Amino acid sequence: MISPLNIIVCAYRDWGIKIAESLPQDLATYTILRSKEEYDTHFKNYNNDADIILFFGWSWIIPDDIVNNNICIGLHPSPLPKYRGGSPIQNQIIAGESVSAVSLFRLSDKLDKGDILYQEVFSLEGNLSEVFDRIVISATKACEHLLRTFADTKLLVALPQNETQGSYYKRRTPEQSEIKLEDFTTFTANELHNKIRALQDPYPNAFVVCKDGTKLYLKLSAI
Amino acid sequence: MKTLFLAYRQWALDVYPRIKKHPKISEMKLCTTHEELVAANPESYDLILTCGWSDELYDLANKVQAIGVHCAELDRYSYGSPIQLQILDGIKYTKHRIFPFKWDATSKRAHTHTREYSHETVLDLTGGMKDILHQMTETSVVLFNMFLDDYPNQIVWKQWPEEELVRPKRNPSDSEIKDISRMTARQIYDFIRCLEDPYPNAFIKDETGTVYFKNVEFKE
């Protein structure tokens, strides 16, 4: 009888919490930390007893002593090494990508640059809520694959990222959600639609500053 | 009283189960297409109630009393697309009225051409189409019930004032936003919201395709 794994999951976004709650129950006991406060409290007296610590869309710096003394795995919704950094979903959709991947990778001291453990593709088509539903499904599949392999072999096979393929983006700001009036003549129909759907709720919606200076928020479009 | 209820749009179909409970109605048959109407032997009914019905009743309207609901206060919106045209003209509140269906082969107007109405309620046009259509369901129930309460002997027909120009019905190509840079936020907002589903959505097109705007938000 194999003793279940002891896994800590750090996730505060809805999609991250959904993944955490979908992980296979037969493999591990999970401690889900749903906020920075829960994370701080838990790690105050932590004695490195977790088999794995998972970070799903986590936005805070993780101290070196945790990264160096534990198996820390991050989840990033892009086909790393592409679209490292902030707002990966928005940046991919706006760039016109139609297929992405959930990447599981070993955390390192460099942002989203750790060795890749597993990637599971998903489609970027449709509305943002549909994209997030697919991320949850693909991420759950990827995590299950990784955790079952680890439970069986105690091994994690990781491949370094190809630095020549890498790209980095900063987190988007609300001001970047503007569609300028001239964009309506220079953007293609697809580019307009992609910008609107990439910035649906709960993100700062695409907006137009009209000739009277008033902002108009474009919440839903179709092509 | 034997009645026919003519409707095919969802907001109008939602009226039917509530109206058929009126105590003066012994029978109410629903028709959702012209074919169903013809097959129903309509001349055998006492009254025809139409709700959002676009087809002409032709001579049938002269043989059986037929009424409908129309959502405009001014005569200029007596033809098609009254909600869209009123919103585009900046109208925030209008009237929802019972009118008698008539048929006049020489008329260039739609079936409201007599300008007669019996009962009216206020209709708020300030929200999105979902809100407006929900209101139309609710106000139609009220209007039909008021009409049926007064039917047949206490109906008082009034007339709204005639205007020279009656606006033409919109068609799907009118949903194109031609020059967004010349429009105020309010104008763009009104244009997009009055063309929300189930109407032909506002769109911009180029040689690569067409993008439809389905929902928009505006804060004064």
Side-chain angles (χ1 to χ4, degrees):
Chain A
M1 173 82 181
I2 301 167
S3 60
L5 301 170
N6 175 20
I7 295 178
I8 298 171
V9 187
C10 303
Y12 71 97
R13 293 186 165 107
D14 282 350
W15 59 268
I17 292 170
K18 277 186 194 166
I19 300 165
E21 290 173 344
S22 307
L23 294 172
Q25 294 300 309
D26 62 315
L27 286 180
T29 55
Y30 300 96
T31 303
I32 303 176
L33 307 177
R34 292 176 168 83
S35 66
K36 178 68 163 58
E37 289 71 32
E38 285 184 27
Y39 167 90
D40 287 339
T41 305
H42 188 86
F43 283 100
K44 209 170 181 178
N45 299 310
Y46 174 66
N47 56 6
N48 296 320
D49 59 350
D51 293 298
I52 292 176
I53 308 176
L54 296 166
F55 294 89
F56 295 157
W58 197 247
S59 297
W60 295 275
I61 301 287
I62 299 142
D64 285 347
D65 66 307
I66 292 179
V67 175
N68 296 334
N69 295 307
N70 295 274
I71 298 175
C72 290
I73 298 175
L75 183 154
H76 192 73
S78 85
L80 289 174
K82 294 176 180 171
Y83 298 99
R84 291 167 176 154
S87 312
I89 298 297
Q90 286 70 29
N91 286 320
Q92 289 173 87
I93 293 173
I94 290 169
E97 305 284 359
S98 57
V99 177
S100 181
V102 165
S103 297
L104 294 174
F105 63 101
R106 286 292 294 262
L107 291 191
S108 68
D109 57 348
K110 296 187 181 75
L111 184 64
D112 300 333
K113 285 193 172 181
D115 294 350
I116 292 171
L117 295 158
Y118 197 74
Q119 290 183 316
E120 180 77 31
V121 296
F122 65 92
S123 165
L124 289 167
E125 303 289 345
N127 291 324
L128 205 53
S129 63
E130 295 169 324
V131 173
F132 278 111
D133 287 346
R134 286 189 214 115
I135 290 174
V136 171
I137 292 166
S138 292
T140 305
K141 235 162 133 182
C143 288
E144 175 155 10
H145 173 88
L146 197 78
L147 296 178
R148 286 206 186 280
T149 306
F150 184 75
D152 291 344
T153 64
K154 295 292 176 199
L155 288 175
L156 287 174
V157 178
L159 293 172
Q161 295 189 28
N162 181 347
E163 286 304 317
T164 62
Q165 301 281 311
S167 58
Y168 175 79
Y169 290 79
K170 281 188 179 170
R171 188 175 191 151
R172 294 180 63 85
T173 62
E175 296 74 42
Q176 289 176 289
S177 295
E178 180 175 3
I179 298 176
K180 294 187 186 304
L181 287 171
E182 55 266 32
D183 295 339
F184 284 92
T185 49
T186 57
F187 279 22
T188 64
N190 245 320
E191 285 169 339
L192 270 178
H193 174 57
N194 284 340
K195 185 148 182 179
I196 294 167
R197 74 186 176 96
L199 300 170
Q200 286 179 313
D201 293 338
Y203 297 94
N205 295 151
F207 68 89
V208 189
V209 180
C210 301
K211 72 166 191 180
D212 54 350
T214 309
K215 279 184 186 174
L216 191 77
Y217 295 91
L218 302 168
K219 298 179 80 71
L220 183 62
S221 63
I223 197 100
Chain B
M1 172 168 48
K2 279 179 67 183
T3 58
L4 279 175
F5 190 85
L6 313 187
Y8 60 89
R9 296 182 170 110
Q10 190 54 53
W11 69 266
L13 291 169
D14 292 342
V15 175
Y16 166 71
R18 296 167 66 185
I19 293 302
K20 69 184 293 192
K21 293 176 188 166
H22 193 280
K24 285 185 181 168
I25 291 175
S26 58
E27 182 188 332
M28 177 174 272
K29 181 176 172 57
L30 173 67
C31 296
T32 60
T33 63
H34 182 73
E35 289 71 29
E36 284 178 17
L37 172 63
V38 172
N41 187 20
E43 290 177 36
S44 67
Y45 286 81
D46 302 308
L47 178 66
I48 299 174
L49 295 92
T50 75
C51 197
W53 189 259
S54 298
D55 295 344
E56 287 295 352
L57 297 184
Y58 302 106
D59 196 36
L60 175 63
N62 298 330
K63 294 176 179 165
V64 182
Q65 182 165 13
I67 58 163
V69 281
H70 178 66
C71 50
E73 181 169 18
L74 300 175
D75 191 39
R76 72 192 72 165
Y77 307 113
S78 294
Y79 199 37
S81 318
I83 293 178
Q84 284 70 30
L85 291 170
Q86 289 175 98
I87 290 175
L88 292 173
D89 287 351
I91 291 175
K92 293 183 175 175
Y93 297 92
T94 187
K95 295 285 167 62
H96 204 190
R97 290 168 167 159
I98 294 277
F99 73 95
F101 246 87
K102 302 280 183 187
W103 169 243
D104 177 353
T106 62
S107 174
K108 289 179 180 174
R109 307 176 74 196
H111 22 253
T112 58
H113 62 258
T114 62
R115 296 182 286 112
E116 283 183 328
Y117 69 100
S118 62
H119 299 81
E120 67 177 17
T121 62
V122 172
L123 189 68
D124 179 351
L125 298 175
T126 58
M129 280 312 303
K130 198 175 165 191
D131 295 333
I132 293 169
L133 294 176
H134 174 70
Q135 273 188 77
M136 284 172 61
T137 300
E138 296 304 314
T139 51
S140 295
V141 171
V142 171
L143 288 167
F144 284 127
N145 276 328
M146 287 196 300
F147 180 88
L148 291 167
D149 287 345
D150 291 343
Y151 186 85
N153 297 324
Q154 294 177 50
I155 308 288
V156 178
W157 294 105
K158 294 156 268 190
Q159 275 203 338
W160 63 74
E162 185 173 13
E163 292 187 309
E164 281 293 309
L165 178 71
V166 174
R167 302 275 298 274
K169 187 176 182 172
R170 292 175 61 82
N171 63 60
S173 66
D174 294 331
S175 296
E176 181 172 7
I177 301 176
K178 293 243 169 67
D179 189 356
I180 204 163
S181 64
R182 288 171 178 268
M183 298 167 79
T184 64
R186 179 91 231 174
Q187 286 170 328
I188 302 169
Y189 170 70
D190 284 343
F191 194 89
I192 294 174
R193 79 179 167 97
C194 80
L195 298 169
E196 284 174 0
D197 294 338
Y199 297 94
N201 297 149
F203 68 88
I204 287 178
K205 68 175 178 185
D206 62 18
E207 63 282 0
T208 67
T210 304
V211 59
Y212 296 92
F213 300 103
K214 298 182 88 68
N215 187 235
V216 70
E217 194 175 285
F218 165 69
K219 289 168 192 158
E220 300 256 21

